Amino acid sequence: MENTAEKKKIVLSAIQPTGTPTLGNYLGALKNWKDMSEGEYNCLYAVADLHSLTVRPEPADLRRRTLEMYAILLALGIDPEKNIVFIQSHVPQHAQLSWLLSCCTQFGEAARMTQFKDKSEKHPENVNVGLFTYPILMAADILLYQTDFVPIGEDQKQHLEIARDIAERFNTVYGNTFKLPEPFIGKIGARVKSLQDPSQKMSKSDPNPKGYISMLDDDNIIVKKIKSAVTDSEAKVRYAEGKDGINNLMGIYSCCTGKTYDEIEKEFDGKGYGDFKSAVAEAVVEELRPFKTEFNRLMGDKAYLTECAKNGAEKASYFAQRTLSKAMKKTGLFQL
Ligand code: TYM
């Protein structure tokens, strides 16, 4: 972030600490976070703990999961010295900017968000206002850092669009303040499906644990889950409409091995689903192995994690304050 002469593009993304991330989170977002963090961009990655309050987690669980999620980001191989890795609530500018942006968001446009509609239907007992204003806080996360690219899975695309709309409206009303961010969505892996119901996205809140692979699942559990994945009766490994289960496994295999769909079809020509599933399982196990070892090591060094989180928050705060001050000034809030 310091070297402005290099004019590197800025990347920001965040993940909620609502449980161990799934293979969907990994292939849709986290794998790209890691790849983008290796020098080409200035990257900021956050644990979105404020967002997760919308589902009212147990305080002790939230505290534990936040540090675990922070360790997960480092265990991916994201270097906290070269990138800014922080916990959202440690940078108060996010909540502050969120208020300014709320006043530039129309009720109707927030009410159109499909995630809000889905979540309020699924949990009618807790449709809190935070769930409704969730995308505005997400817009603040992004706009505070003059972000160019936001690596996300497809389910977050609509939230990115509203962030752009809010930024554009603010810029029109008060003068140019925020850069308009672009989503960065991988071609394959952007929507990993449930292994049990491939019409649904793979999600850590799925009540059926066979539907998702958690990034910290034991190797034998990963193998079992992939072997019991829903397929079809054609018994031919090919990517085609109506073969959602196989298409999903092909996407997973492709992301883990770098092979194209054509190459995969050739590799399994004349072979059954049993062979294919064994290969997918092995590829996933191998992909996650180094990450799991590193996660366990890092969890044994909480002092290091806390120190990194503190440094990350300090660095993020510096950049966040620059944009927040600019936005506050433009709106006419009295400056001391
Ligand atoms: P969250 O925590 O639900 O998910 C983190 C990331 O994982 C992606 N993802 C998937 N990708 C492919 N297939 C799936 N089955 C799958 N499930 C999840 C999500 O798209 C996401 O990229 N609101 C965000 C967190 C957030 C954020 C931000 C993101 C807060 N502030 C600012 C970007 C920028 C969320 O709930 O993600």
Side-chain angles (χ1 to χ4, degrees), residues 12-16 18 22 24-25 27-29 33 48 51 88 115 119 134 137-138 141-142 150-156 159 189-193 201-204:
L12 174 132
S13 201
I15 183 164
Q16 297 191 71
T18 41
T22 66
N25 296 120
L27 298 178
W33 293 20
H51 277 105
Q88 185 190 33
Q115 201 172 79
K119 286 196 176 169
Y134 179 114
L137 178 60
M138 183 164 157
D141 299 341
I142 298 167
V150 187
I152 42 173
E154 213 159 87
D155 62 322
Q156 295 298 317
H159 288 162
R191 189 173 278 272
V192 178
K193 306 287 176 53
K201 76 165 183 179
M202 182 181 280
S203 161
K204 52 196 161 198

